[in-house]
Amino acid sequence: MSARTWLARPELGVVAAVVAAWLFFAVTAGDSGFLTLSGTASYLAIAAELGILAAPVALLMIAGEFDLSVGSTMAASGMTVALCTTELGWPLWGGIAAAAALSACVGLVNGLIVTRTRLPSFIVTLGTLFILAGGTIGTTRLLTGRTQVGGLEDAGGFGAAQKLFAGQIGPFSITLLWWVGLTALATWVLVRTRPGNWIFAVGGAPDAARRLGIPVDRVKIVLFMTTALAACLVATFQTVQFRGTDVLRGTGKELEAILAAVLGGTLLTGGRGSVVGAACGALLFGMVQQGIVFSGVDSDWYKVFLGAVLILAVLLNSSVQTRAAEARR
Amino acid sequence: MSHETKGLAPILEAEHITKRFGRITALEDVSMRVHASEILCVLGDNGAGKSTLIKTLSGVHPPDEGRLLVDGEPVRFSSPRDALARGIATVYQDLAMVPMLSVVRNFFLGAEPTRGVGPLRRLDLREGEVVVRAELQRMGIELRDLSVPVSALSGGQRQALAIARAIHFGARVLVLDEPTSALGVKQAGIVLRYVMEARTRGCGVILITHNPHHAHMVGDRFTLLNRGRCEGTFAKADITRDELIRRMAGGEELEQLQHELRAS
Ligand SMILES: Nc1ncnc2c1ncn2[C@@H]1O[C@H](COP(=O)(O)OP(=O)(O)O)[C@@H](O)[C@H]1O
Ligand SMILES: [Mg+2]
């Protein structure tokens, strides 16, 4: 690859930002634990969960669509795992399978509505966000009278699930492995397979994609299902780790995932982006969130910083877009 | 060579095509045909129905009346894929390209070469590069780096890429909708050269334009459209450039305007 194509990479900005953030916190919080193994593990754990959401969210955004229902899909699938085991007495794996089926359906419905009605996915998934959030609270209260459900450790198969979803490798969470594996898989699909090429086409030139015979609707539906399944996976991590869940679990995650994807150079209008960029966006998110804690500043402030970086990232991206549009002439 | 084609059956022929959009009649009783190794120019002012005509030829709109024939055989296209399967390839103004994707990836969009089987089936970009390089060379285009995004190419190069792609995927008739309209003189010249290259390679070309200068330079025959009606078809030998300019819709009005401008 030539220097020019390297400079045009979507992830360039976020990689620079990750390095800058790391240096910044190494200097300001280096002596209070940021540089230790457990300090590193703490921000990697945050990055891993967000990164697993951000990878499919980035793919979906490259295909030109949004999914705002990620957070409430997390709430719904976490609660499905918990209720199936505690209320119905199912083994944990049964609960996880039910949650996966539920979230696959959520993604399918999102995808079908968006592709059939041609409504903006922003609106459709905003609707599903509310439906799922309300449905989760309503169902949970109806069945248990509470908004939190615990006691998962008594369910059958909990031990094995704990190793797989909430285990540790030294100081590091096992979710890190999931993150690396899924990021590698998503990157491979995006840049090395035909469906990956279609994802770019679906978002970058939808009419042309249709004319070229690319199954535009199918690509989008599968991507909506993928984001929903990723939400289910992360919800499963948390539900197993905390041995229970809360109806509000996952609130706001959809925006954090979009933030990570956009930080990573994914274009809001579709047609451009990278999974590695989204992973770096998630890493930056985790690093800033934990770095602020280590540097002794009130942790509430991390969002201020992230918001500012987000705006900078979008400015950078849109200038790339403008240059591309100019080159087109 | 190419306009002396009376003995050969046309590849694509449209007979008495009428197309309406609600109360608007975009095309009325329009007929045209194109042979192999021939450039047919369809000329007309804005709104004359040029785009509607090629959309009918390429399977986007079924005609309300009239019929299409490929190799003398009546056909009905229900989608652009149908037309493509019969070798009718249309290069639209958006060129069907994703600006941020590389030249190779755009070339094969929707028909990507792969290797491996099952879940390991993956893009074969190296094989793709070899093919693209060869196809571009045949059109006389040199691109050093095929991994650059197409947005980095000039307008003329992008058109050429789209034409090369259409030919590679088996186009027998190449339909080009105003390929030079957004380009400067030099880039337009480059595109016209590729259009002639496509003819040399045996394609029938339908070139849509409202620029009679461009048309007369490369065309073998000219079909004039005016407000959805066919105003006649002329072989190059039978019509001068000035006549073509005058004949085009608005030609007389243009002359009048010229007089008025001179008078003032
Ligand atoms: N999809 C459509 N629906 C309604 N009217 C259309 C449509 N496409 C074209 N027209 C009308 O048909 C006429 C011819 O348009 P068009 O074929 O685009 O002309 P040209 O390409 O020569 O400028 C115009 O009056 C235009 O408004
Ligand atoms: Mg037109």
Side-chain angles (χ1 to χ4, degrees), chain A residues 191-192 194 197 211 327-328, chain B residues 92 94 105 123 151 158:
Chain A
V191 303
R192 283 282 167 265
R194 293 188 74 191
N197 218 33
R211 271 190 262 124
R328 219 171 297 172
Chain B
Y92 290 93
D94 72 3
R105 283 169 179 269
L123 290 181
S151 59
R158 263 197 299 272

Side-chain angles (χ1 to χ4, degrees), chain A residues 259-281:
Chain A
L259 181 111
V262 173
L263 286 175
T266 297
L267 221 52
L268 287 149
T269 44
R272 184 177 198 254
S274 105
V275 175
V276 173
C280 292

Side-chain angles (χ1 to χ4, degrees), chain B residues 46-47 49-52 93 177-178 208:
Chain B
N46 280 330
K50 305 184 296 295
S51 295
T52 306
Q93 274 156 328
D177 190 8
E178 310 244 9
I208 312 292

Side-chain angles (χ1 to χ4, degrees), chain A residues 328-329, chain B residues 39 41 91-93 95 97 139-141 153-164 167 174-200 205-209 211 214-215 217-219:
Chain A
R328 219 171 297 172
R329 240 151 272 146
Chain B
I39 298 176
C41 295
V91 177
Y92 290 93
Q93 274 156 328
L95 302 182
M97 296 214 182
M139 301 278 303
I141 311 160
L153 304 185
S154 73
Q157 285 174 321
R158 263 197 299 272
Q159 282 283 352
L161 183 64
I163 294 171
I167 296 176
L174 197 59
V175 186
L176 303 164
D177 190 8
E178 310 244 9
T180 57
S181 67
L183 301 178
V185 177
K186 184 155 174 267
Q187 292 291 319
I190 293 173
V191 170
L192 292 177
R193 218 177 69 218
Y194 298 135
V195 170
M196 290 164 74
E197 189 58 38
R199 170 178 62 189
T200 308
V205 181
I206 300 175
L207 178 67
I208 312 292
T209 177
N211 186 327
H214 290 168
M217 264 188 279
V218 299

